[in-house]
Each structure stands twice: as C-alpha cells, then as structure tokens.
Amino acid sequence: MARVPLLIAFARSGGTLLNQLLGSHPNVLILSEVNPSGSVKPMSDQAVDWLGLLKPEDKKAFQNMLFPDQIKYLRQAAEEKGKVLIIRDWSSINFVDTRTHGWRQPSGILETPAILKAAELEVDGLVVTRRYQSLRRSLRATFQEFARMPENDLARAYLAYARAASVWPHIHLEDLQANPDVVLQKVFGQFGLSFDAIPSVLRTFSHFAKCTGNNTAQSKPSSASFAEIRRKDLE
C-alpha cells in the first residue's frame, strides 16, 4: 500500500514553521495547506510553480481528477525524482464555519486522511499542536473571521478538531521552539527522513518561501530564526 506522509495542524499552531522546516529538507517536496474541501493555493498551481511535478499543459486534466487521484499522481511523480511528497493538510477548513466566504458547512472530520484511506493509501500522520490560549490570541489577532467568532463557537470548533487529531502522533510547537534539534529528530523519524540534514535545515528554513501561511497566501514566510521565533512568542 502506498504511503502518504501527512502534516496536520490547526491555523496558527505552527504548521507553516513545520512546512518550512520540512520543505528545506533536500529529499522532500511538500504540498502546502491542501484539503478535499479546498486549498489555500490550488494544488495544481503548487505542482507546477513550486514542485515541478506537473507540466503546465497537463494542468487542466489534473484539475479534473479526484483529490486522492491527484495525490497518487504527485506522489508517483515525486518518487520518480527521488523525493518524498509530504502533504500539509488545511485542517481548519473541516471544522471552522466559513460559509460567509462562500464555502460549505464544515464536515467536522479530518477529511484528508479519511479520503486518502478510502482510496487505499496508507496515511502517516503527524500533528503539530499549540497551547490553546496562545493559539486563540493569535487567531483573533490575525484573522477577522476568528476575531468576530463567538468564544463558544471557536472553542467547539477547536475541541472537535483536537478530538479528531488526537489519534495521531503529535509534537508541541512550544517544544519545537525550545529544542528544535530534538523535536526535528522526531519529525524526520516519523516521516523516514535523514537526520543528517537537520543542521542545514535549521540554517536555511527561514528562506523557504514555497508555502502558504504567515497570515496570507500572498505573503512570504518571514521566520528569521528560532531565537526570533522565541522572542516574538514571549511578547
């Protein structure tokens, strides 16, 4: 059975940071915030513009594929390049009511692993989580839809996500900030990646810009270093 590494994260939980760290590994190609219900940047655009796994002339045919078939196609294309394809799930879309943006009511389940498993793919999931109070403050400060959301609605959405994600191995953002070398060994070990790349990944991750996050899909990730991340988090 084909194996698909999957990074699971609620908004403002450290998903972009892990995206940058994983994307900086020389053996990794990573899809950023994709989900069967929608993607921050269309998967076809990422495959063409960022990953080099799809030719522009094949884009339309790819867009007509079902989500699991798209993943199978890109996984095979990555394997042919000697790379591991990792998916960063856009998990929040499955739990937060975003109908004001024209999307449908959230399903309340983690759709990506459910749909991939139904397509007979082996999902290798890892969750990055953050203390709820820190996450809540960051959400409300960053996104208008979260700033306007009643407290109970936000808490219920996050609790439903936390229950769904609890079946997977996890790391804490706070631990990653405090001991990046140690936590990266767990992350890379989970996904079968070489530990030898950890020093170079920690030196270069802040320059990895082929991902969504850090407030908007248009902005470039701006993490400078773990020292800077810790300083901002304390503030």
Side-chain angles (χ1 to χ4, degrees):
M1 185 181 292
R3 171 179 163 272
V4 179
L6 178 67
L7 176 62
I8 300 168
F10 202 80
R12 309 306 294 171
S13 294
T16 299
L17 176 58
L18 257 297
N19 195 145
Q20 290 176 271
L21 289 162
L22 287 165
S24 299
H25 195 289
N27 296 334
V28 168
L29 294 174
I30 183 165
L31 287 166
S32 185
E33 290 187 295
V34 300
N35 188 278
S37 286
S39 301
V40 174
K41 179 181 174 73
M43 200 188 313
S44 57
D45 289 349
Q46 294 189 44
V48 172
D49 302 336
W50 289 350
L51 307 183
L53 296 179
L54 186 67
K55 296 178 181 178
E57 59 267 27
D58 296 330
K59 194 171 180 179
K60 187 173 181 179
F62 179 85
Q63 291 169 338
N64 289 329
M65 293 180 182
L66 296 175
F67 181 83
D69 293 330
Q70 291 176 326
I71 297 300
K72 289 177 181 179
Y73 179 95
L74 296 181
R75 180 192 171 280
Q76 179 63 34
E79 192 174 86
E80 290 172 0
K81 289 177 175 284
K83 305 287 187 179
V84 175
L85 180 71
I86 297 178
I87 302 169
R88 174 188 169 196
D89 188 31
W90 190 18
S91 307
S92 305
I93 196 175
N94 298 148
F95 298 92
V96 178
D97 193 337
T98 52
R99 282 174 287 177
T100 55
H101 296 275
W103 298 333
R104 63 179 175 82
Q105 183 176 1
S107 61
I109 65 170
L110 285 168
E111 293 180 12
T112 297
I115 288 176
L116 294 181
K117 285 182 176 181
E120 298 185 342
L121 289 166
E122 180 183 355
V123 178
D124 184 8
L126 179 69
V127 178
V128 56
T129 188
R130 183 182 190 181
R131 292 190 184 97
Y132 178 72
Q133 289 303 325
S134 299
L135 177 143
R136 172 186 170 278
R137 284 194 299 270
S138 184
L139 284 173
R140 291 195 179 281
T142 305
F143 301 109
Q144 289 185 357
E145 56 264 43
F146 285 107
R148 295 191 299 262
M149 186 178 294
E151 185 64 39
N152 285 344
D153 289 353
L154 176 56
R156 276 194 292 267
Y158 187 76
L159 181 59
Y161 160 78
R163 285 172 172 159
S166 66
V167 301
W168 301 99
H170 65 274
I171 63 165
H172 295 291
L173 174 61
E174 293 82 5
D175 293 338
L176 176 61
Q177 291 170 328
N179 297 291
D181 300 75
V182 174
V183 176
L184 270 189
Q185 287 185 32
K186 180 175 180 179
V187 174
F188 286 5
Q190 179 71 33
F191 293 146
L193 303 173
S194 169
F195 294 172
D196 294 342
I198 289 177
S200 64
V201 165
L202 290 174
R203 285 195 308 270
T204 62
F205 78 94
S206 63
H207 302 292
F208 184 81
K210 294 179 179 180
C211 65
T212 59
N214 286 17
N215 303 348
T216 70
Q218 288 73 40
S219 66
K220 292 184 178 181
S222 57
S223 305
S225 66
F226 273 93
E228 181 72 4
I229 289 168
R230 294 188 195 105
R231 184 185 68 77
K232 289 181 178 179
D233 196 59
L234 287 172
E235 289 176 355

